[in-house]
Amino acid sequence: MRRFVLASVALTGLSIFATTGCGGPQVPKHNGYKSEKAKPWKNAKRLTFDEKGTTKAEGDLSYPEMRRAKWYELDLPTPGELTIKLDISPPGDAVNEDFDLAMEVLDPGNRVISKADLEEEDAGEQTKTRTLYDLQPGHYLLHLYLQSRLDTGDYTVKISFTGKGSAGEVKSDFPTQVAFIPPLPMVPLNDDTPKGYQAPKATVVTIKKGPRKTVAVKEEPKAESKTARIMNIAVAGSSTVITIGIGTDAGVSPSWKGKIAGVPGSFSPSACNARTCTATVSATPDQIKAGGASVSLTP
């Protein structure tokens, strides 16, 4: 009877050890949402701008508690510029040393036009800022989400909008993009032709007509220079990372050269997808804005 009791205690201890896994954290096996078919973007919280064009939201997220993400709606009444500042407070006893709260902005067509996740240079930072230029009126979405299964954290997001013109109006920047006329040669007021000068007689060339041989010449298509707007500006140390609103669908690749008006030197895109390219520029955001927030790209 005593041997049976000791064996039962030993088996119970092994069972507890296997269940607790040496006391380590239990990694959730779910995807962070309460349902596999959840569509939280359809129930996004609407943020309304005040008379100064600002709005604010705050909250907390927890992957283990199935509160992985938060969605917000933003309605822009006119064309303008949107600045988003995200302040993150990770837990003091964070299990994940690479904790990062990601952010992305979707346009009225549900396309991602700006993001801040583990692939960006400010990954792991507790403050992230994104500025989007030349946005058209419409319904935009802001998506905040945790990236690791053990992460929890608090956040505060501050958003400011600067409108430019009325809805449907596209403001022209003419003539800022028109090149200056180069210096013209000086023409004397009086004719300086030497006296007695006679122009040489034209040489007459006789061409004998005969059968012509037609040669097909295949012309290679020439890649043309392109101009695109800067959609996003992010500070990265002493440099600035820009997102350009043109990509491989327009023929642009990392082998192209870029130039910003008023900014010395050139640069090459570091990565391109179908619609956008990113590049690192040795300039400040103010210098880039002063150049009209546009890029000239040359193959």
Side-chain angles (χ1 to χ4, degrees):
M1 181 67 179
R2 183 177 181 182
R3 292 179 180 178
F4 176 77
V5 172
L6 292 175
S8 298
V9 171
L11 290 173
T12 302
L14 289 174
S15 177
I16 294 174
F17 178 82
T19 302
T20 59
C22 300
Q26 297 296 318
V27 178
K29 296 182 179 180
H30 51 75
N31 63 357
Y33 300 95
K34 294 183 179 180
S35 170
E36 292 291 338
K37 299 181 180 179
K39 297 180 179 180
W41 54 89
K42 292 189 175 182
N43 299 316
K45 182 178 179 181
R46 183 180 297 275
L47 297 180
T48 304
F49 293 102
D50 58 19
E51 63 278 2
K52 296 182 179 179
T54 62
T55 186
K56 176 183 177 181
E58 57 186 10
D60 62 285
L61 298 174
S62 173
Y63 200 119
E65 296 178 7
M66 297 184 180
R67 294 184 291 106
R68 178 187 181 185
K70 186 66 177 180
W71 290 80
Y72 294 101
E73 293 180 347
L74 295 168
D75 289 322
L76 306 188
T78 65
E81 176 181 311
L82 193 68
T83 300
I84 302 173
K85 181 181 179 182
L86 176 64
D87 292 320
I88 307 167
S89 299
D93 55 348
V95 178
N96 181 14
E97 295 181 355
D98 298 326
F99 171 86
D100 184 71
L101 176 58
M103 169 179 65
E104 61 183 11
V105 181
L106 287 76
D107 67 3
N110 291 330
R111 297 179 292 266
V112 177
I113 57 175
S114 180
K115 67 175 182 175
D117 56 15
L118 289 174
E119 297 180 357
E120 303 299 319
E121 295 191 7
D122 56 355
E125 298 290 338
Q126 296 187 14
T127 299
K128 299 182 179 183
T129 303
R130 293 291 184 272
T131 301
L132 293 85
Y133 301 95
D134 297 330
L135 297 181
Q136 294 302 310
H139 182 74
Y140 291 77
L141 290 174
L142 173 62
H143 182 203
L144 308 178
Y145 60 98
L146 296 170
Q147 301 178 85
S148 298
R149 294 179 180 267
L150 294 175
D151 285 348
T152 62
D154 300 334
Y155 66 87
T156 300
V157 59
K158 299 177 182 178
I159 306 172
S160 62
F161 173 69
T162 303
K164 297 181 180 180
S166 59
E169 176 185 349
V170 179
K171 186 178 180 181
S172 173
D173 59 355
F174 180 83
T176 57
Q177 301 298 328
V178 179
F180 287 102
I181 298 175
L184 299 176
M186 296 295 295
V187 179
L189 297 177
N190 300 319
D191 187 2
D192 57 353
T193 303
K195 292 181 179 181
Y197 173 80
Q198 293 182 355
K201 294 182 179 180
T203 303
V204 178
V205 179
T206 303
I207 300 176
K208 294 182 178 181
K209 295 183 179 181
R212 295 182 179 181
K213 184 181 292 185
T214 304
V215 179
V217 178
K218 184 179 179 182
E219 295 184 358
E220 296 292 335
K222 296 182 179 180
E224 299 180 353
S225 299
K226 299 181 183 295
T227 301
R229 303 295 296 175
I230 298 175
M231 300 172 58
N232 185 38
I233 297 177
V235 178
S238 60
S239 302
T240 303
V241 178
I242 62 174
T243 301
I244 309 168
I246 194 170
T248 55
D249 284 352
V252 179
S253 68
S255 64
W256 285 44
K257 292 293 184 181
K259 184 74 175 64
I260 300 174
V263 177
S266 61
F267 60 88
S268 296
S270 56
C272 292
N273 58 30
R275 294 186 178 89
T276 62
C277 291
T278 57
T280 301
V281 183
S282 299
T284 64
D286 291 338
Q287 290 176 317
I288 295 173
K289 292 179 182 179
S294 64
V295 175
S296 297
L297 295 165
T298 306

